Amino acid sequence: MLLCPASEEVRCTASIIAGNLAAASPHVHFRFLQRWAARLGAARRAGEASEEFFERLSSLASSDTAKRFLVAWGFLRRVCAALEAEARAVAAHERCSATDLSQGFVLARMADLLGEMLTLPYVRARFVRDNHLVSVVEVLLTIKCLEVHRSKHTTEAAATLGALLAELAGESDAHREAHVRACVTALARLV
């Protein structure tokens, strides 16, 4: 119901119900958070119908404890893989002459979600250590290469990811070196 493309009202109601249920106890909250995060692929396919999904996921993951739970669960890997898949999907439409102004909506929401996750120093260090920078650089380069399907959303995603990369690179010499390695690796993959 949460990703129902037919009705915004159904999606809003489902989101409110899920939020109320998740507030019942910490255990239930983390179960909902895990199930929500596991649905990233379905949300990616839902396009703009996933707005309520991303709002609720962001709400569920707003606490430091929730962010740590998601990191331990492997969420960084999942969100980076979903970002890469969505960037490839947007780029695949580049050869098509029809434009879609909503193109990149999911990409922008996932970039925002990643940015929210990286507010904790522990999460940022884990992100760099686990070499997720390569995925983000690759996604950023893919978005920057768009011509026909550049939209408000793809521009927003590029700005968010660019700012994240710049912030991470400026934190320490080790992060700067990891950033340079990620850029070289991403360029090698794309060329």
Side-chain angles (χ1 to χ4, degrees):
M1 286 189 342
L2 189 66
L3 297 171
C4 173
S7 173
E8 181 179 351
E9 188 174 329
V10 168
R11 293 190 309 268
C12 288
T13 303
S15 178
I16 290 167
I17 291 169
N20 291 338
L21 290 172
S25 74
H27 173 73
V28 174
H29 178 89
F30 288 121
R31 293 288 293 172
F32 265 91
L33 182 58
Q34 187 176 15
R35 289 178 190 259
W36 233 258
R39 303 285 301 155
L40 268 181
R44 194 177 76 72
R45 291 183 295 278
E48 283 190 316
S50 64
E51 183 171 359
E52 292 80 10
F53 170 88
F54 283 108
E55 287 173 4
R56 181 56 60 191
L57 180 56
S58 180
S59 170
L60 289 170
S62 62
S63 73
D64 291 354
T65 306
K67 289 174 186 169
R68 284 187 173 93
F69 171 81
L70 284 174
V71 168
W73 183 68
F75 184 72
L76 293 176
R77 178 184 41 80
R78 289 173 188 263
V79 75
C80 287
L83 271 167
E84 286 182 71
E86 185 64 14
R88 282 192 302 271
V90 170
H93 289 110
E94 191 67 9
R95 292 174 204 77
C96 157
S97 61
T99 58
D100 180 3
L101 295 177
S102 67
Q103 191 74 42
F105 173 82
V106 172
L107 199 58
R109 297 297 77 76
M110 283 193 288
D112 292 340
L113 185 60
L114 181 61
E116 291 170 17
M117 291 295 298
L118 294 177
T119 57
L120 294 178
Y122 159 77
V123 177
R124 284 195 303 271
R126 175 89 179 253
F127 184 80
V128 172
R129 186 181 69 236
D130 291 351
N131 204 26
H132 295 302
L133 283 172
V134 175
S135 297
V136 175
V137 171
E138 190 173 327
V139 169
L140 181 60
L141 291 173
T142 301
I143 296 170
K144 290 287 192 174
C145 291
L146 294 175
E147 293 175 14
V148 175
H149 284 280
R150 186 170 296 172
S151 69
K152 173 184 85 166
H153 299 300
T154 57
T155 302
E156 179 185 324
T160 301
L161 295 174
L164 282 174
L165 288 169
E167 186 179 325
L168 287 168
E171 282 187 1
S172 68
D173 288 339
H175 284 189
R176 193 172 5 271
E177 288 173 17
H179 178 77
V180 170
R181 283 192 306 273
C183 289
V184 170
T185 304
L187 282 171
R189 283 185 189 175
L190 292 173
V191 176

